[in-house]
PDB file of all heavy atoms in Angstrom:
ATOM      1  N   VAL K  22     149.458  39.598 -63.193  1.00 89.00           N
ATOM      2  CA  VAL K  22     149.752  40.098 -61.730  1.00 89.00           C
ATOM      3  C   VAL K  22     148.894  39.271 -60.808  1.00 89.00           C
ATOM      4  O   VAL K  22     149.445  38.816 -59.772  1.00 89.00           O
ATOM      5  CB  VAL K  22     149.479  41.589 -61.580  1.00 89.00           C
ATOM      6  CG1 VAL K  22     149.444  42.026 -60.161  1.00 89.00           C
ATOM      7  CG2 VAL K  22     150.457  42.390 -62.520  1.00 89.00           C
ATOM      8  N   THR K  23     147.638  39.014 -61.155  1.00 89.00           N
ATOM      9  CA  THR K  23     146.816  38.278 -60.160  1.00 89.00           C
ATOM     10  C   THR K  23     147.312  36.809 -60.092  1.00 89.00           C
ATOM     11  O   THR K  23     147.350  36.297 -58.945  1.00 89.00           O
ATOM     12  CB  THR K  23     145.324  38.212 -60.605  1.00 89.00           C
ATOM     13  OG1 THR K  23     144.873  39.653 -60.790  1.00 89.00           O
ATOM     14  CG2 THR K  23     144.348  37.556 -59.773  1.00 89.00           C
ATOM     15  N   ALA K  24     147.645  36.199 -61.185  1.00 91.00           N
ATOM     16  CA  ALA K  24     148.111  34.774 -61.182  1.00 91.00           C
ATOM     17  C   ALA K  24     149.415  34.693 -60.341  1.00 91.00           C
ATOM     18  O   ALA K  24     149.648  33.757 -59.600  1.00 91.00           O
ATOM     19  CB  ALA K  24     148.279  34.330 -62.627  1.00 91.00           C
ATOM     20  N   GLY K  25     150.287  35.735 -60.633  1.00 89.00           N
ATOM     21  CA  GLY K  25     151.559  35.750 -59.954  1.00 89.00           C
ATOM     22  C   GLY K  25     151.359  35.915 -58.328  1.00 89.00           C
ATOM     23  O   GLY K  25     151.944  35.252 -57.549  1.00 89.00           O
ATOM     24  N   ALA K  26     150.450  36.828 -57.994  1.00 86.00           N
ATOM     25  CA  ALA K  26     150.168  36.925 -56.585  1.00 86.00           C
ATOM     26  C   ALA K  26     149.481  35.714 -55.931  1.00 86.00           C
ATOM     27  O   ALA K  26     149.847  35.399 -54.826  1.00 86.00           O
ATOM     28  CB  ALA K  26     149.210  38.174 -56.538  1.00 86.00           C
ATOM     29  N   TYR K  27     148.624  35.128 -56.764  1.00 86.00           N
ATOM     30  CA  TYR K  27     147.962  33.778 -56.091  1.00 86.00           C
ATOM     31  C   TYR K  27     149.046  32.675 -55.970  1.00 86.00           C
ATOM     32  O   TYR K  27     149.162  32.103 -54.916  1.00 86.00           O
ATOM     33  CB  TYR K  27     146.944  33.386 -57.091  1.00 86.00           C
ATOM     34  CG  TYR K  27     146.435  32.013 -56.670  1.00 86.00           C
ATOM     35  CD1 TYR K  27     145.505  31.937 -55.560  1.00 86.00           C
ATOM     36  CD2 TYR K  27     146.818  30.730 -57.180  1.00 86.00           C
ATOM     37  CE1 TYR K  27     145.032  30.707 -55.085  1.00 86.00           C
ATOM     38  CE2 TYR K  27     146.383  29.570 -56.726  1.00 86.00           C
ATOM     39  CZ  TYR K  27     145.415  29.516 -55.671  1.00 86.00           C
ATOM     40  OH  TYR K  27     145.012  28.363 -55.250  1.00 86.00           O
ATOM     41  N   LEU K  28     149.983  32.620 -56.925  1.00 88.00           N
ATOM     42  CA  LEU K  28     151.108  31.638 -56.797  1.00 88.00           C
ATOM     43  C   LEU K  28     151.984  31.976 -55.616  1.00 88.00           C
ATOM     44  O   LEU K  28     152.397  31.078 -54.751  1.00 88.00           O
ATOM     45  CB  LEU K  28     151.945  31.641 -58.133  1.00 88.00           C
ATOM     46  CG  LEU K  28     151.260  30.981 -59.274  1.00 88.00           C
ATOM     47  CD1 LEU K  28     152.147  31.090 -60.559  1.00 88.00           C
ATOM     48  CD2 LEU K  28     151.003  29.558 -58.948  1.00 88.00           C
ATOM     49  N   LEU K  29     152.311  33.255 -55.379  1.00 88.00           N
ATOM     50  CA  LEU K  29     153.107  33.683 -54.166  1.00 88.00           C
ATOM     51  C   LEU K  29     152.271  33.381 -52.890  1.00 88.00           C
ATOM     52  O   LEU K  29     152.899  32.786 -51.936  1.00 88.00           O
ATOM     53  CB  LEU K  29     153.350  35.179 -54.137  1.00 88.00           C
ATOM     54  CG  LEU K  29     154.557  35.657 -55.028  1.00 88.00           C
ATOM     55  CD1 LEU K  29     154.642  37.121 -55.056  1.00 88.00           C
ATOM     56  CD2 LEU K  29     155.829  34.949 -54.536  1.00 88.00           C
ATOM     57  N   TYR K  30     151.014  33.767 -52.867  1.00 85.00           N
ATOM     58  CA  TYR K  30     150.280  33.524 -51.626  1.00 85.00           C
ATOM     59  C   TYR K  30     150.091  32.079 -51.346  1.00 85.00           C
ATOM     60  O   TYR K  30     150.144  31.635 -50.155  1.00 85.00           O
ATOM     61  CB  TYR K  30     148.880  34.172 -51.708  1.00 85.00           C
ATOM     62  CG  TYR K  30     148.833  35.582 -51.211  1.00 85.00           C
ATOM     63  CD1 TYR K  30     148.858  36.692 -52.185  1.00 85.00           C
ATOM     64  CD2 TYR K  30     148.778  35.941 -49.886  1.00 85.00           C
ATOM     65  CE1 TYR K  30     148.905  37.921 -51.703  1.00 85.00           C
ATOM     66  CE2 TYR K  30     148.690  37.213 -49.421  1.00 85.00           C
ATOM     67  CZ  TYR K  30     148.655  38.237 -50.274  1.00 85.00           C
ATOM     68  OH  TYR K  30     148.725  39.413 -49.839  1.00 85.00           O
ATOM     69  N   SER K  31     149.815  31.222 -52.441  1.00 86.00           N
ATOM     70  CA  SER K  31     149.746  29.820 -52.170  1.00 86.00           C
ATOM     71  C   SER K  31     150.932  29.100 -51.761  1.00 86.00           C
ATOM     72  O   SER K  31     150.860  28.103 -51.217  1.00 86.00           O
ATOM     73  CB  SER K  31     149.031  29.093 -53.381  1.00 86.00           C
ATOM     74  OG  SER K  31     149.788  29.265 -54.486  1.00 86.00           O
ATOM     75  N   ARG K  32     152.148  29.741 -52.139  1.00 87.00           N
ATOM     76  CA  ARG K  32     153.357  29.215 -51.790  1.00 87.00           C
ATOM     77  C   ARG K  32     153.679  29.414 -50.188  1.00 87.00           C
ATOM     78  O   ARG K  32     154.299  28.586 -49.511  1.00 87.00           O
ATOM     79  CB  ARG K  32     154.601  29.842 -52.564  1.00 87.00           C
ATOM     80  CG  ARG K  32     155.909  29.319 -52.420  1.00 87.00           C
ATOM     81  CD  ARG K  32     156.813  29.871 -53.311  1.00 87.00           C
ATOM     82  NE  ARG K  32     158.124  29.360 -53.000  1.00 87.00           N
ATOM     83  CZ  ARG K  32     159.236  29.744 -53.648  1.00 87.00           C
ATOM     84  NH1 ARG K  32     159.146  30.394 -54.807  1.00 87.00           N
ATOM     85  NH2 ARG K  32     160.424  29.295 -53.313  1.00 87.00           N
ATOM     86  N   VAL K  33     153.163  30.624 -49.725  1.00 87.00           N
ATOM     87  CA  VAL K  33     153.396  30.961 -48.337  1.00 87.00           C
ATOM     88  C   VAL K  33     152.350  30.526 -47.371  1.00 87.00           C
ATOM     89  O   VAL K  33     152.666  30.069 -46.413  1.00 87.00           O
ATOM     90  CB  VAL K  33     153.677  32.519 -48.284  1.00 87.00           C
ATOM     91  CG1 VAL K  33     153.791  32.914 -46.751  1.00 87.00           C
ATOM     92  CG2 VAL K  33     154.806  33.004 -49.075  1.00 87.00           C
ATOM     93  N   TYR K  34     151.111  30.610 -47.832  1.00 85.00           N
ATOM     94  CA  TYR K  34     149.967  30.286 -46.978  1.00 85.00           C
ATOM     95  C   TYR K  34     149.213  29.136 -47.532  1.00 85.00           C
ATOM     96  O   TYR K  34     149.229  28.897 -48.743  1.00 85.00           O
ATOM     97  CB  TYR K  34     149.043  31.562 -46.833  1.00 85.00           C
ATOM     98  CG  TYR K  34     149.834  32.721 -46.296  1.00 85.00           C
ATOM     99  CD1 TYR K  34     149.970  33.869 -47.134  1.00 85.00           C
ATOM    100  CD2 TYR K  34     150.090  32.825 -45.029  1.00 85.00           C
ATOM    101  CE1 TYR K  34     150.594  34.915 -46.570  1.00 85.00           C
ATOM    102  CE2 TYR K  34     150.641  33.994 -44.557  1.00 85.00           C
ATOM    103  CZ  TYR K  34     151.011  35.014 -45.271  1.00 85.00           C
ATOM    104  OH  TYR K  34     151.606  36.180 -44.776  1.00 85.00           O
ATOM    105  N   GLU K  35     148.450  28.564 -46.785  1.00 85.00           N
ATOM    106  CA  GLU K  35     147.421  27.488 -47.189  1.00 85.00           C
ATOM    107  C   GLU K  35     146.099  28.217 -47.556  1.00 85.00           C
ATOM    108  O   GLU K  35     145.531  28.966 -46.700  1.00 85.00           O
ATOM    109  CB  GLU K  35     147.186  26.492 -45.981  1.00 85.00           C
ATOM    110  CG  GLU K  35     146.158  25.487 -46.411  1.00 85.00           C
ATOM    111  CD  GLU K  35     145.923  24.531 -45.268  1.00 85.00           C
ATOM    112  OE1 GLU K  35     146.580  24.533 -44.302  1.00 85.00           O
ATOM    113  OE2 GLU K  35     144.876  23.719 -45.467  1.00 85.00           O
ATOM    114  N   ILE K  36     145.615  28.021 -48.714  1.00 80.00           N
ATOM    115  CA  ILE K  36     144.458  28.718 -49.263  1.00 80.00           C
ATOM    116  C   ILE K  36     143.453  27.604 -49.775  1.00 80.00           C
ATOM    117  O   ILE K  36     143.793  26.899 -50.609  1.00 80.00           O
ATOM    118  CB  ILE K  36     144.759  29.689 -50.449  1.00 80.00           C
ATOM    119  CG1 ILE K  36     145.731  30.704 -49.893  1.00 80.00           C
ATOM    120  CG2 ILE K  36     143.435  30.306 -50.919  1.00 80.00           C
ATOM    121  CD1 ILE K  36     146.100  31.643 -51.111  1.00 80.00           C
ATOM    122  N   PRO K  37     142.357  27.577 -49.243  1.00 78.00           N
ATOM    123  CA  PRO K  37     141.779  28.231 -48.015  1.00 78.00           C
ATOM    124  C   PRO K  37     142.446  27.556 -46.758  1.00 78.00           C
ATOM    125  O   PRO K  37     142.731  26.479 -46.705  1.00 78.00           O
ATOM    126  CB  PRO K  37     140.353  27.945 -48.033  1.00 78.00           C
ATOM    127  CG  PRO K  37     140.140  26.684 -48.900  1.00 78.00           C
ATOM    128  CD  PRO K  37     141.287  26.654 -49.811  1.00 78.00           C
ATOM    129  N   GLY K  38     142.638  28.451 -45.831  1.00 80.00           N
ATOM    130  CA  GLY K  38     143.174  27.928 -44.513  1.00 80.00           C
ATOM    131  C   GLY K  38     142.736  28.828 -43.407  1.00 80.00           C
ATOM    132  O   GLY K  38     141.875  29.619 -43.517  1.00 80.00           O
TER     133      GLY K  38
END
Side-chain angles (χ1 to χ4, degrees):
V22 171
T23 304
Y27 176 76
L28 290 174
L29 278 174
Y30 271 100
S31 62
R32 183 175 176 176
V33 175
Y34 303 106
E35 181 184 345
I36 300 176

